[in-house]
């Protein structure tokens, strides 16, 4: 049996809630900067609670397509950033959600 060392697609989400707009924006920017650091194979979409006025909650959907080692490293780095904000900030609520990773190619059809 051969080992599969191909690419995976990973989906993560981070939900941020705060009592004021600037705190919510700073926390979201902190998460987005973590995504921007990788500069390749990572993209994200941001959804805000309102179009006008103060934004008190933001959802960031993160998509990554990479090899297994990169998937694990990025996910743990993002989880650590979120845990840091959870444990050290009382003014913001952060929820990290791992939506899973699936292989880009079908593993069942790989040659032996």
């Amino acid at each position: 049996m051969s080992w599969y060392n191909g690419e995976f697609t990973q989906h993560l989400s981070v939900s941020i809630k705060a009592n004021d707009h600037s705190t919510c924006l700073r926390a979201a920017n902190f998460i987005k900067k973590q995504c921007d650091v990788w500069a390749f194979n990572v993209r994200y979409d941001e959804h805000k609670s309102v179009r006008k006025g103060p934004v008190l909650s933001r959802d960031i959907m993160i998509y990554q397509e990479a090899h297994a080692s990169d998937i694990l490293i990025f996910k743990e780095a993002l989880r650590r950033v979120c845990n840091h904000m959870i444990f050290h900030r009382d003014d913001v609520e952060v929820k990290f959600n791992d939506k899973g990773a699936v292989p880009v190619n079908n593993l069942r059809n790989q040659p032996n």
Side-chain angles (χ1 to χ4, degrees), residues 75-87:
K75 177 172 46 178
E76 285 307 309
L78 189 62
R79 185 189 316 268
R80 297 293 179 204
V81 168
C82 291
N83 283 342
H84 177 79
M85 289 196 301
I86 291 168
F87 295 133

Side-chain angles (χ1 to χ4, degrees), residues 19 35 38-39 45 47 52 63 68 78 83-84 93 98 100 103 106:
N19 291 331
C35 296
W38 286 80
D45 297 325
H47 304 281
K52 293 184 179 180
Y63 311 95
L78 189 62
N83 283 342
H84 177 79
E93 179 184 332
D98 181 0
N106 188 352

Side-chain angles (χ1 to χ4, degrees), residues 11-15 60-62 78 95-99:
H11 299 275
L12 306 167
S13 70
V14 178
S15 297
I60 303 171
M61 292 294 300
I62 302 163
L78 189 62
K95 291 184 182 177
F96 176 82
N97 189 8
D98 181 0
K99 297 191 177 266

Side-chain angles (χ1 to χ4, degrees), residues 16-26 54-58 89 91-92:
I16 301 164
K17 292 182 182 177
N19 291 331
D20 61 79
H21 173 76
S22 62
T23 303
C24 189
L25 181 61
R26 275 188 306 230
V55 177
L56 303 179
S57 68
R58 295 171 184 261
R89 298 202 53 182
D91 57 345
V92 67

Side-chain angles (χ1 to χ4, degrees), residues 1-2 5 14 25 28-29 33 39 43 57 67 90 100 107 110:
M1 182 175 166
S2 61
N5 193 18
V14 178
L25 181 61
N29 285 341
K33 284 179 186 177
R43 65 180 179 83
S57 68
H67 289 279
D90 294 333
L107 290 179
Q110 294 295 317

